[in-house]
Amino acid sequence: MIFRPGTAVWVEHPDLAWAEAEVVSSPASPSSPSSVNVVLSTGVKAVVDGRKVLPRDTEADLGGVDDMTKLVYLHEPGVLCNLARRYTLNEIYTYTGRILIAINPFAKLPHMYDMHMMEQYRGVQFGDLSPHVFAVADSSYRAMVSENRSQSILVSGESGAGKTETTKLIMRYLTFVGGHATGDIRSVEQQVLESNPLLEAFGNARTVRNDNSSRFGKFVEIQFDKSGRISGAAVRTYLLELSRVVQISEAERNYHCFYQICASGQDADKYRLAHPRNFNYLNQSHVYELEGVSEAEQYLKTRRAMDIVGICFSDQEAIFRTVAATLHLGNIDFSPGKEFDSSVIKDEKCKFHLQMAADLLMVDASLLLSTLCYRTIKTPEGNIVKAVDSSAAVIGRDTLAKTVYARLFDWLVDNINKSIGQDMESRSQIGVLDIYGFECFKYNRIRILLQTSIAISLML
Ligand SMILES: Nc1ncnc2c1ncn2[C@@H]1O[C@H](COP(=O)(O)OP(=O)(O)OP(=O)(O)O)[C@@H](O)[C@H]1O
Ligand SMILES: [Mg+2]
């Protein structure tokens, strides 16, 4: 593109991503548009690559537009500038047609999500009120009721953008419009909402980007009867990050439940647990606490959430026994054995952890040890038992810990689903997908700079 002198433009900037500028002189000929002389709004002169100069709308509203399809130039700097202008005015939501862009406020905004706000958005045409996550949820609900078609809402964005919070708000709104009028004690909607802390205790962890990062994908399907009332729900999870159970990076943490059980007082004593620094699966990072979070309180909340979704006391005990066993399992270390490529348990401390892990998992300790130190190879002639070296024994131990944890997580999800109950006769559903990923740092500047999350309402 050829720019006349005096044209308002955006140019790439190493710190700001894009900077406002004005063209001083355009390239000599249209066939060589490589360099353009510009002056930045700070007065600094620069020569920039003409292919990376984009036009700027000087008449754009300083308050930004609430729907970015109204922008004169719908390009990256135009979008970023509009979102930044709105964010400065505490407007965290903006539409791009049917897509809602949310910028994480990193502050509690109770007035944005209270009952009064839900009432305001109820039944109002999409776009008539200011952009809001409730408007997306309401429009899905209305479309489902009026067109009798299932809907799905996709919530996407980089880690820490606010996907899970947005998903919870959507669920809260759907339970508000589709909840039962009668206050039955453990209604479906209550159980769906209450299953969140439980799944988060076992599937969320601190990462460098987010203290409560979901390390699994979640699809919540809310089922409705013919009068538009919630009649059942199902939670589907996938791709739990299992490597985290046995390996964590500095500044990150393992799954919350491990720290909660270590802080559980009497229960921790019962399972012979101590401070997280004593466990190999937790002390690879030196972050043990989260700001403003009491793990002891969180432990009680997790227990309460289990009560609410209907997990009985003996199952709760089995769950925490398994969590404690995983920690003890991680402390079983090996030394090279006398024979070539063999391994033995390292010392008395490790023997204690082996015994604890075996007791808690209700298996025989010597059988557990031989399973870790020997490998059985199946051949047509029969089974061959072969010793493994200490590093292979460690790999086996970690694989066992990951498998046990994966089974525990799946068991929890199954139980949540059983307890909530699915409506096989349901007329239509609204699915909400909280999907993680997209941490490609080099090029996704929009996500990095503005921490956006996007909710799109799709018709199935
Ligand atoms: N609408 C909001 N209002 C207030 N705070 C928010 C909002 N959205 C997000 N946050 C804050 O940002 C934090 C991170 O949000 P959230 O856990 O939803 O991110 P995420 O996109 O699900 O990240 P991950 O992919 O790591 O799971 C929350 O713990 C909360 O403090
Ligand atoms: Mg999340």
Side-chain angles (χ1 to χ4, degrees):
M1 193 185 283
I2 297 295
F3 295 100
R4 282 207 204 95
T7 308
V9 290
W10 290 104
V11 294
E12 284 201 320
H13 191 280
D15 302 324
L16 304 170
W18 293 94
E20 293 182 4
E22 198 171 284
V23 173
V24 176
S25 67
S26 43
S29 86
S31 57
S32 61
S34 51
S35 54
V36 177
N37 292 316
V38 296
V39 57
L40 304 187
S41 55
T42 52
V44 174
K45 289 184 178 159
V47 181
V48 294
D49 183 345
R51 288 164 302 188
K52 291 180 182 164
V53 174
L54 291 168
R56 177 165 57 90
D57 178 16
T58 48
E59 276 158 34
D61 191 335
L62 288 179
V65 290
D66 61 3
D67 183 344
M68 294 200 286
T69 55
K70 293 182 199 156
L71 286 177
V72 175
Y73 301 116
L74 190 59
H75 49 37
E76 183 179 308
V79 166
L80 289 176
C81 175
N82 188 63
L83 294 176
R85 280 179 175 168
R86 287 178 61 77
Y87 192 63
T88 317
L89 300 172
N90 292 327
E91 299 282 1
I92 64 165
Y93 293 116
T94 306
Y95 292 131
T96 301
R98 300 285 299 178
I99 300 171
L100 175 75
I101 298 185
I103 302 185
N104 192 338
F106 285 111
K108 295 238 177 301
L109 305 171
H111 64 283
M112 289 278 291
Y113 308 115
D114 60 11
M115 199 57 115
H116 174 70
M117 200 56 114
M118 291 199 273
E119 288 287 1
Q120 275 203 321
Y121 279 86
R122 186 181 205 148
V124 173
Q125 190 72 23
F126 188 83
D128 280 3
L129 295 175
S130 308
H132 199 290
V133 62
F134 291 161
V136 174
D138 189 78
S139 108
S140 292
Y141 181 75
R142 298 286 142 212
M144 182 196 70
V145 171
S146 62
E147 294 165 27
N148 193 17
R149 286 172 71 181
S150 293
Q151 307 287 313
S152 69
I153 301 173
L154 165 66
V155 186
S156 179
E158 71 159 342
S159 179
K163 298 181 292 295
T164 303
E165 292 298 319
T166 300
T167 304
K168 286 189 234 173
L169 291 167
I170 292 170
M171 279 158 59
R172 195 195 296 169
Y173 187 83
L174 292 176
T175 61
F176 164 74
V177 280
H180 289 272
T182 54
D184 44 345
I185 304 158
R186 282 174 51 225
S187 58
V188 170
E189 54 268 27
Q190 249 177 318
Q191 288 187 68
V192 173
L193 292 176
E194 291 294 345
S195 69
N196 281 327
L198 187 51
L199 284 178
E200 290 187 7
F202 289 81
N204 284 26
R206 178 188 207 266
T207 65
V208 281
R209 316 223 66 188
N210 183 359
D211 271 7
N212 189 31
S213 179
S214 329
R215 310 313 298 167
F216 64 103
K218 185 169 75 174
F219 183 68
V220 184
E221 188 182 291
I222 302 183
Q223 297 144 355
F224 295 84
D225 63 17
K226 57 182 185 313
S227 57
R229 293 272 165 214
I230 294 176
S231 55
V235 180
R236 299 183 213 292
T237 60
Y238 45 89
L239 292 173
L240 177 69
E241 184 188 43
L242 284 176
S243 57
R244 183 171 296 271
V245 176
V246 300
Q247 198 176 27
I248 41 176
S249 323
E250 187 52 57
E252 302 212 339
R253 293 206 322 173
N254 209 317
Y255 291 105
H256 299 324
C257 61
F258 291 114
Y259 305 86
Q260 292 178 6
I261 195 173
C262 286
S264 64
Q266 280 185 349
D267 285 355
D269 296 342
K270 186 167 70 186
Y271 301 129
R272 307 293 297 273
L273 296 174
H275 190 275
R277 78 171 81 84
N278 298 292
F279 294 96
N280 291 339
Y281 286 162
L282 308 182
N283 62 17
Q284 298 162 36
S285 146
H286 295 100
V287 179
Y288 299 116
E289 273 135 42
L290 298 179
E291 213 183 300
V293 176
S294 151
E295 298 297 346
E297 271 172 31
Q298 291 303 113
Y299 176 74
L300 295 178
K301 271 193 190 155
T302 304
R303 281 272 188 175
R304 236 185 341 263
M306 286 178 174
D307 289 336
I308 290 170
V309 299
I311 297 176
C312 68
F313 181 75
S314 66
D315 282 347
Q316 293 186 22
E317 290 294 294
I319 291 167
F320 284 107
R321 260 203 331 268
T322 313
V323 174
T326 309
L327 289 180
H328 286 293
L329 202 58
N331 278 13
I332 307 173
D333 270 328
F334 305 90
S335 317
K338 284 198 189 105
E339 284 151 45
F340 176 70
D341 263 2
S342 70
S343 53
V344 290
I345 192 154
K346 195 171 166 196
D347 53 26
E348 286 306 310
K349 244 180 162 174
C350 294
K351 279 186 191 156
F352 162 76
H353 291 294
L354 170 74
Q355 193 61 51
M356 279 310 302
D359 289 351
L360 292 168
L361 292 173
M362 295 177 169
V363 297
D364 181 71
S366 51
L367 194 59
L368 175 59
L369 182 62
S370 63
T371 309
L372 297 175
C373 295
Y374 294 90
R375 178 184 302 153
T376 306
I377 303 162
K378 281 189 183 160
T379 70
E381 286 75 38
N383 288 349
I384 299 172
V385 180
K386 183 185 169 296
V388 296
D389 66 16
S390 41
S391 55
V394 166
I395 293 172
R397 175 200 74 187
D398 289 350
T399 306
L400 177 62
K402 287 190 281 187
T403 308
V404 166
Y405 197 82
R407 294 269 179 93
L408 174 63
F409 191 74
D410 289 347
W411 184 92
L412 269 176
V413 176
D414 279 351
N415 271 268
I416 288 171
N417 282 328
K418 267 190 215 138
S419 137
I420 296 172
Q422 297 206 35
D423 176 11
M424 295 306 174
E425 318 272 278
S426 132
R427 229 184 47 178
S428 39
Q429 299 100 35
I430 296 182
V432 188
L433 180 66
D434 173 0
I435 190 168
Y436 70 102
F438 312 111
E439 274 129 79
C440 168
F441 293 118
K442 211 164 167 196
Y443 300 110
N444 61 355
R445 197 177 266 153
I446 291 185
R447 297 193 200 97
I448 288 167
L449 287 177
L450 284 164
Q451 297 251 315
T452 59
S453 71
I454 301 173
I456 312 171
S457 174
L458 296 172
M459 284 206 300
L460 276 181

